[in-house]
Amino acid sequence: MRLIFLTNHVKRQVCRKLDVFCMAIKPIIQRAFCMVPIFPLIITCAAIFLFTGCGEKKKLEEVSTKYGGTLYFGVETPFHGFDVLGTSGFLNPTQAPLNNLIQEPLFRMDKSGNLIPVLGLTASSSANGDIWEIKLRKGVFFHDGTSFNANAVIHHWTRILDPENKYQGRRTFQPIRRVEKLDDYTVRFILEHPWPPFLKVISDELYLFAFIPSPKAVEDGTHDRKPVGTGPFKYGKWNSGDHFVVYRNDRYWQKDKPLLNKVVFRTVPDHQTRYASLISGQIDIITLDRGHLIQKAKDNPSLFNFQSEGNGAEIIMINTERPPLDDIRVRRALALANRQELHIKMVYGNTIPLIHHPFGETFKCVDDGYLDYDLEQAKQLIAEYGKPVEIECLHSNTSRGRDIGALLQQLYKKIGVNLKPIGLSTGPHIMKVLQKHYQLAAWRIPPSSDQGPQLYRSFHSQSPTNFTGYNNPRMDEMLNAQNAETDTDKRNDIWCKIIRQLNRDVPFLYRGGRRFHIVARKKIRDMMDTPGFMVDLSTAWLDETVKFNMAAFEIEKNASVVDFDCPEPGDTDAVQAILIGSWNGKDSWGGRLKFNFKKDNTVTGTRSGGYNLRGNYIICGKKVRWRSNTGALITMTVLTDKLEGIFEKGNYDGTITMVRDKDR
């Protein structure tokens, strides 16, 4: 697969150079032959193209459209921070393509499991596999000018391995003991024991810790909001909840990459709106998982459709520590009354597979212990429990989330279980799960190149990211065993035992497997020829004459600028929840402002006056942030009868108290 990728890449480069050559010598040939037709020349160029395997060209004049331009990428959910210590270590499918443009790992892997050098060149192990030595690429620079070398790798891994930092994703790579520097471009990973998933884990493009950030940006505390890597694109601006913009990295170590000047990731939560924006031309490429829209896209000859199978699972997580779900009879009853095929049909429009485990379609077990639908047995278990069963299920405050809640409510009503669906925005939903303040919650087992570490961190009793509270000594033994087993067949056998035990103990319910859909306009070329995560925008180019997308740019230009993280920025419900009561849910209101201007910590003046909060503001918890018409950035905290905060403009800053004017 890698050979094919490199061959196609070389072909593209040859074609571009030949295109330029043909265009350059056209006037010379014309002068030499006294303006005779150049048809023979074009035939010659076409023959060369065919010989090098370049494929068909529309017109010679269109070659120039391969370089430059802006690509607009529509995604469903807002992005989160890029500092690995602020995350669980896993990148969701929305953020992965963006992160892969800015940051790079040591290696990637193709679909056949072959190692592809990126920042690392070679990886060699000791005889028993407990020590790995990695040679690093020279001549690479981070976007801030810092050199990539062994110090950058050591800084990154020492930081996330330090127990004092309490990194949540630590259990994913638990066998890695330390990383040592051998010379400026060689590092050594020391493992507690031979660990088969090592290369897969440090090459997995869905693990944020696999990517090496700039040590300077990390130490300056800016990397989380303004990420700095070595990738083909560099950070441009981040309008939280709306846009994330990256620009071409002119110092990228891979010559002739990237071809685009700019990529804009635009957050469009509603699937129908996202698809309509694609059709109208406001967006060039989208992620999609709504069945009827996927079918529409397949029927549209102007669109490319790309489907990628993944492991992992769409699940309902169960808090096994909270009654009545601490009783295995109740959990098993819920599993027996759950109809996975209905989730797949009614919620996902038959766009994801039915599964019995999270290891993917190619992994088979003779007996996986999956509990098939059995309504009578479920009723019997609830009767044996002997108490009323009333439970709550958290789900996203979206149409899909509401579909999940409604379906579960109907399914469990049949066995006498009263389920109350609770829709939450992303931030509160995640926080309740992390704090184990839930009974049932819609969740996912993320895809991974090796599900062993993922299951270890999710279901080992000592893992801090075991949010189900599941505790089975036998399971701990098996998770430890698969972590150290080097024989593939024996490790697969342990995996079968693990999934059989999980299916019997029911710390989660299945909603379906993972499958990813990318839909793009046909003007985008060469983005699928990649071993990476679904798309490679470093090789993409726009096959069009007009590169400037005015409609998309207007949306981007008018987005409110926000430079701080917010769980659900721009969420109308969140705005109303914060402002209701004291501010009566208004999005425009008057008040009296008192400014105490400071420069170099010295008060330089005061000002009082009326002010209206209108338009482009953002709510984050009890924080409000917006820009005034003079360009000042104002951040305030909502209190009972006033707002308090700060005022920033140029070299001046100040404190503000804004008391509501009740007459307005």
Side-chain angles (χ1 to χ4, degrees):
M1 178 63 73
R2 178 56 179 166
L3 179 60
I4 294 172
F5 170 70
L6 288 175
T7 302
N8 289 342
H9 175 69
V10 170
K11 287 177 182 178
R12 287 195 296 271
Q13 302 311 312
V14 171
C15 286
R16 293 179 189 121
K17 295 184 186 301
L18 287 171
D19 290 341
V20 173
F21 171 74
C22 287
M23 292 296 291
I25 68 172
K26 173 181 174 180
I28 299 174
I29 298 294
Q30 287 177 327
R31 286 194 298 270
F33 288 93
C34 301
M35 302 302 291
V36 297
I38 62 166
F39 182 74
L41 173 64
I42 298 176
I43 293 297
T44 302
C45 289
I48 296 174
F49 294 156
L50 292 173
F51 178 75
T52 57
C54 296
E56 181 182 331
K57 300 291 178 183
K58 288 184 178 179
K59 293 180 181 179
L60 200 57
E61 288 74 18
E62 291 185 6
V63 171
S64 61
T65 65
K66 291 181 180 179
Y67 295 90
T70 300
L71 185 147
Y72 289 85
F73 197 135
V75 297
E76 179 180 0
T77 56
F79 299 113
H80 301 293
F82 291 80
D83 186 345
V84 68
L85 293 187
T87 72
S88 63
F90 175 74
L91 288 165
N92 63 42
T94 293
Q95 190 158 350
L98 167 61
N99 181 73
N100 274 258
L101 292 182
I102 300 173
Q103 302 189 89
E104 293 179 304
L106 295 174
F107 302 97
R108 290 189 169 96
M109 277 193 173
D110 64 20
K111 294 180 180 179
S112 300
N114 300 313
L115 210 60
I116 301 172
V118 185
L119 296 179
L121 292 175
T122 62
S124 56
S125 69
S126 59
N128 68 346
D130 62 347
I131 298 176
W132 284 87
E133 186 175 299
I134 295 177
K135 296 287 186 180
L136 304 177
R137 188 178 299 277
K138 298 178 181 180
V140 177
F141 294 90
F142 290 99
H143 302 150
D144 58 9
T146 306
S147 294
F148 167 77
N149 51 32
N151 291 335
V153 178
I154 298 299
H155 178 274
H156 173 62
W157 277 97
T158 300
R159 184 169 179 253
I160 58 180
L161 287 170
D162 186 350
E164 293 296 320
N165 289 330
K166 298 179 180 179
Y167 173 48
Q168 287 188 13
R170 177 69 181 85
R171 289 282 171 171
T172 307
F173 49 84
Q174 181 268 336
I176 300 177
R177 188 187 305 166
R178 66 181 183 276
V179 185
E180 301 174 342
K181 175 182 175 180
L182 298 184
D183 59 46
D184 285 347
Y185 291 96
T186 310
V187 296
R188 176 184 290 163
F189 283 76
I190 310 296
L191 312 183
E192 291 182 1
H193 53 74
W195 187 40
F198 172 72
L199 289 179
K200 290 184 178 179
V201 167
I202 67 168
S203 306
D204 196 321
E205 296 172 76
L206 288 177
Y207 286 145
L208 186 58
F209 59 74
F211 295 82
I212 311 300
S214 162
K216 182 180 184 302
V218 170
E219 288 301 313
D220 290 346
T222 59
H223 180 73
D224 191 49
R225 295 297 301 173
K226 297 180 179 180
V228 178
T230 59
F233 290 86
K234 56 187 179 181
Y235 170 85
K237 62 180 178 179
W238 184 355
N239 300 354
S240 290
D242 196 289
H243 283 78
F244 199 115
V245 182
V246 293
Y247 295 100
R248 174 189 170 89
N249 174 17
D250 291 326
R251 297 186 66 188
Y252 188 47
W253 58 271
Q254 292 195 56
K255 292 183 179 180
D256 300 320
K257 285 187 180 181
L259 282 73
L260 295 167
N261 286 335
K262 175 180 172 184
V263 180
V264 179
F265 289 82
R266 181 180 162 204
T267 304
V268 186
D270 182 73
H271 298 275
Q272 185 69 52
T273 303
R274 197 159 65 253
Y275 181 75
S277 298
L278 176 72
I279 298 300
S280 68
Q282 293 178 4
I283 293 178
D284 302 313
I285 177 174
I286 63 173
T287 57
L288 199 60
D289 60 1
R290 281 290 185 179
H292 69 289
L293 295 177
I294 292 171
Q295 189 56 52
K296 273 188 176 182
K298 289 180 178 179
D299 295 337
N300 190 326
S302 67
L303 300 176
F304 279 127
N305 292 268
F306 179 71
Q307 176 177 302
S308 175
E309 302 297 330
N311 56 24
E314 302 282 351
I315 64 172
I316 297 292
M317 199 149 62
I318 300 177
N319 188 342
T320 63
E321 296 178 336
R322 291 188 62 177
L325 301 170
D326 57 346
D327 192 301
I328 193 171
R329 292 172 296 183
V330 176
R331 299 201 303 272
R332 288 178 66 87
L334 296 183
L336 290 164
N338 180 48
R339 298 188 66 180
Q340 187 186 162
E341 62 270 23
L342 286 185
H343 286 276
I344 292 171
K345 179 180 179 180
M346 298 176 66
V347 179
Y348 293 94
N350 292 320
T351 59
I352 60 175
L354 188 148
I355 61 172
H356 289 186
H357 55 72
F359 289 102
E361 292 184 335
T362 59
F363 186 80
K364 306 295 181 184
C365 289
V366 175
D367 175 18
D368 54 33
Y370 181 78
L371 297 178
D372 287 308
Y373 182 69
D374 191 329
L375 203 59
E376 294 306 315
Q377 188 178 352
K379 290 178 180 178
Q380 182 179 340
L381 287 170
I382 294 298
E384 289 178 10
Y385 179 67
K387 304 174 187 177
V389 177
E390 296 185 354
I391 51 179
E392 295 179 344
C393 180
L394 307 183
H395 59 76
S396 63
N397 193 20
T398 62
S399 59
R400 166 158 295 158
R402 290 187 286 273
D403 289 346
I404 293 169
L407 177 58
L408 287 174
Q409 188 177 51
Q410 292 302 314
L411 288 172
Y412 293 144
K413 184 178 181 180
K414 296 179 180 179
I415 60 172
V417 171
N418 183 18
L419 181 139
K420 179 182 179 182
I422 298 179
L424 296 173
S425 55
T426 304
H429 186 166
I430 293 175
M431 189 58 64
K432 282 184 175 291
V433 171
L434 300 188
Q435 296 173 347
K436 294 184 181 178
H437 293 165
Y438 78 99
Q439 290 178 300
L440 300 179
W443 206 252
R444 289 168 175 165
I445 296 176
S448 175
S449 58
D450 191 303
Q451 276 291 333
Q454 193 64 250
L455 293 182
Y456 184 97
R457 71 191 292 261
S458 297
F459 300 111
H460 195 287
S461 64
Q462 300 304 308
S463 172
T465 52
N466 176 1
F467 301 122
T468 66
Y470 174 61
N471 188 340
N472 184 326
R474 173 60 181 149
M475 177 58 66
D476 288 353
E477 291 177 9
M478 291 188 291
L479 289 171
N480 290 333
Q482 65 87 31
N483 236 5
E485 182 56 65
T486 58
D487 184 281
T488 301
D489 291 336
K490 291 180 180 179
R491 191 164 185 251
N492 288 347
D493 183 61
I494 297 172
W495 278 358
C496 283
K497 292 176 181 177
I498 287 173
I499 202 60
R500 188 156 55 243
Q501 193 69 53
L502 287 173
N503 285 343
R504 288 172 178 171
D505 291 345
V506 197
F508 64 88
L509 307 167
Y510 293 94
R511 294 188 287 119
R514 305 299 303 278
R515 182 176 287 156
F516 308 99
H517 297 268
I518 291 285
V519 182
R521 299 171 66 81
K522 285 193 173 180
K523 69 178 184 178
I524 306 174
R525 301 298 181 91
D526 291 352
M527 70 175 177
M528 299 302 183
D529 186 8
T530 169
F533 184 73
M534 301 181 69
V535 294
D536 182 4
L537 297 182
S538 71
T539 62
W541 54 278
L542 302 179
D543 187 6
E544 63 175 356
T545 302
V546 180
K547 299 174 185 175
F548 192 75
N549 188 331
M550 179 59 75
F553 179 72
E554 284 298 321
I555 296 173
E556 176 190 348
K557 184 181 68 174
N558 293 329
S560 56
V561 178
V562 180
D563 58 0
F564 68 113
D565 201 7
C566 194
E568 278 294 294
D571 188 314
T572 304
D573 293 334
V575 172
Q576 292 178 350
I578 294 300
L579 295 183
I580 199 160
S582 300
W583 308 108
N584 296 324
K586 294 183 179 180
D587 61 4
S588 177
W589 40 271
R592 304 295 298 177
L593 288 179
K594 182 178 180 181
F595 297 88
N596 293 309
F597 291 101
K598 294 181 180 180
K599 185 175 183 180
D600 299 327
N601 294 320
T602 302
V603 176
T604 60
T606 62
R607 174 187 172 189
S608 296
Y611 200 92
N612 275 330
L613 169 64
R614 296 182 185 275
N616 291 331
Y617 67 94
I618 193 167
I619 305 296
C620 185
K622 286 186 175 294
K623 296 291 184 182
V624 184
R625 180 170 286 200
W626 76 97
R627 286 193 182 276
S628 73
N629 55 4
T630 63
L633 180 64
I634 301 172
T635 305
M636 290 187 152
T637 301
V638 180
L639 302 177
T640 304
D641 58 351
K642 62 184 178 181
L643 295 175
E644 289 186 348
I646 59 174
F647 173 102
E648 302 169 317
K649 183 181 180 184
N651 295 325
Y652 291 88
D653 58 60
T655 58
I656 305 174
T657 300
M658 186 169 186
V659 181
R660 184 181 174 199
D661 186 345
K662 296 182 180 180
D663 297 331
R664 301 189 60 164

